[in-house]
């Protein structure tokens, strides 16, 4: 059952790529703008990171282990590839960094608990928010 959930998560991550525009960060904003405001704020990030975590916690033990992280890494790589290469800019590199095991494993255990993953929400927002307005918009992607 969980394999089907993982496959559904992969498909869900890839589908918005079809509608990708040339606007910097549009794919990210489309996926992470939970409240449909046109920008991504801290509550959007916390909400979506919680969803993402649950999608990849295959054994439902509240922690992403190394094997689950392999699936997570593959899903993100597939999403960027399906996104037509629009994920290769600096903004998307920062977005990818904020999802890595190294970024999220606060206690260095090799696993990432849901609490650790959610605790990095504000740090990830700060990493993405290049103009310092406490939200992510297309202005935070592309060349500056």
């Amino acid at each position: 059952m969980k394999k089907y959930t993982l496959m559904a998560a992969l498909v869900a991550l890839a589908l918005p790529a079809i509608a990708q525009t040339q606007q910097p960060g549009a794919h990210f904003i489309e996926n992470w703008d939970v409240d449909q405001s046109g920008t991504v704020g801290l509550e959007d990030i916390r909400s979506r990171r919680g969803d993402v975590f649950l999608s990849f916690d295959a054994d439902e033990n509240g922690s992403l282990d190394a094997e689950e992280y392999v699936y997570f890494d593959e899903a993100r790589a597939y999403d960027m590839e399906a996104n037509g290469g629009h994920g290769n800019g600096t903004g998307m590199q920062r977005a990818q960094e904020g999802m890595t095991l190294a970024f999220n494993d606060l206690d260095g255990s090799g696993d990432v608990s849901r609490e650790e993953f959610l605790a990095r929400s504000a740090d990830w927002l700060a990493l993405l928010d290049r103009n310092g307005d406490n939200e992510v918009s297309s202005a935070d992607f592309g060349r500056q």
Side-chain angles (χ1 to χ4, degrees), residues 79-91:
D79 181 47
M80 289 299 99
E81 183 179 316
N83 193 29
H86 296 289
N88 296 326
T90 304

Side-chain angles (χ1 to χ4, degrees), residues 10-106:
L10 285 171
V11 171
L13 285 171
L15 285 178
I18 296 168
Q20 175 67 34
T21 67
Q22 295 300 321
Q23 182 178 13
H27 180 66
F28 176 85
I29 293 167
E30 185 175 320
N31 280 291
W32 289 82
D33 183 14
V34 175
D35 65 8
Q36 304 289 306
S37 66
T39 61
V40 177
L42 184 56
E43 290 309 311
D44 294 318
I45 286 175
R46 282 187 182 133
S47 175
R48 189 63 76 211
R49 280 176 72 94
D51 295 343
V52 166
F53 184 92
L54 292 175
S55 294
F56 289 95
D57 184 13
D59 58 10
E60 300 177 352
N61 70 348
S63 182
L64 298 180
D65 60 30
E67 184 177 333
E68 290 165 327
Y69 238 98
V70 167
Y71 287 116
F72 187 27
D73 292 341
E74 288 173 354
R76 292 192 326 274
Y78 177 78
D79 181 47
M80 289 299 99
E81 183 179 316
N83 193 29
H86 296 289
N88 296 326
T90 304
M92 289 312 297
Q93 289 170 353
R94 288 190 314 277
Q96 289 293 335
E97 179 184 334
M99 290 297 192
T100 63
L101 177 66
F103 184 87
N104 291 293
D105 185 11
L106 295 174

